[in-house]
Structures are given as structure tokens and as C-alpha cells.
Amino acid sequence: QVQLVESGGGLVQAGGSLRLSCAASGSTSTINAIGWYRQVPGKQRELVATISSSGNTNYADSVKGRFTISRDNAKNTVYLQMSSLQPEDTADYYCNAATSTRGPPWNRNYWGQGTQVTVSS
């Protein structure tokens, strides 16, 4: 079992910065990758950024050059540094852990509770 807790959300002005944290606990050795997602009411949840156990990162085109995903293995924490924030970045942000299992279904995803990010113009 893996537990995820997001923090760091809040209200910022356009052009500002915010750093989100995703703290993982439990069977963290089974985690293959951590992803940050965001969702606006009425819209499908979208992938923002991912970081694998090997350190490889991927970003959505909409956030490339503005957001950076990183990790602190000692703290079992993944961060999302968000810069040059715009109103369209306003959403609920969730972290997701992709894990492997010993048997079926062979993989399992865990979600945090989410943290709100609001960017004012």
C-alpha cells in the first residue's frame, strides 16, 4: 500500500510561482513513477508531468519551460515547481504513484487527496 499527501497549493497572482509537494509513504519501493495531474470541473483530468524511478521526466506541452518536476529520495517526496503561472493553470492538482505488484493486475495506481491552485489575473 502507498499513501500520498499533496501540499503547497494556494492563491497566487499571474506570473508568480508555487511549489507543490507529494509525500509518499508505505510500500514506496514498489513505485515505478510519480505523476502530477490537474483537473478543472467539467474537464477530464490531464497529465502535467512525470518522473520515473530512474529519474526520467516528461512534461505536458502546456507546461514545458515553466514547470519542473523533481524528487528527494531521502524524504520520499516529489515536487512540482511551477513558475510563470497563468490563470489557465488554475485547477486541483493531484499526484499519482504507478506501482508494480507481485501478481495480477501487475500494476496499481494510487492517488493523493489533491491540492488547490488558483491563479488570479
Side-chain angles (χ1 to χ4, degrees):
Q1 299 294 319
V2 173
Q3 296 79 44
L4 303 172
V5 178
E6 301 100 328
S7 62
L11 174 64
V12 298
Q13 290 185 285
S17 299
L18 206 60
R19 189 190 195 190
L20 305 183
S21 299
C22 175
S25 60
S27 301
T28 57
S29 63
T30 68
I31 299 175
N32 301 129
I34 294 288
W36 280 99
Y37 292 73
R38 64 187 181 185
Q39 187 169 30
V40 177
K43 188 179 180 181
Q44 187 175 3
R45 187 172 298 184
E46 66 172 346
L47 179 64
V48 176
T50 62
I51 185 166
S52 71
S53 59
S54 62
N56 292 330
T57 59
N58 286 284
Y59 298 91
D61 289 340
S62 60
V63 306
K64 285 182 179 177
R66 300 189 298 121
F67 291 10
T68 301
I69 188 169
S70 62
R71 68 187 183 190
D72 185 334
N73 291 333
K75 295 182 178 180
N76 288 319
T77 299
V78 171
Y79 304 96
L80 184 67
Q81 178 65 51
M82 306 184 294
S83 301
S84 301
L85 285 164
Q86 300 299 315
E88 53 263 38
D89 295 315
T90 295
D92 290 330
Y93 284 72
Y94 300 87
C95 64
N96 169 273
T99 70
S100 60
T101 60
R102 290 185 176 274
W106 313 110
N107 59 77
R108 178 171 293 173
N109 290 326
Y110 296 88
W111 293 92
Q113 82 288 352
T115 185
Q116 296 181 44
V117 172
T118 302
V119 184
S120 62
S121 60

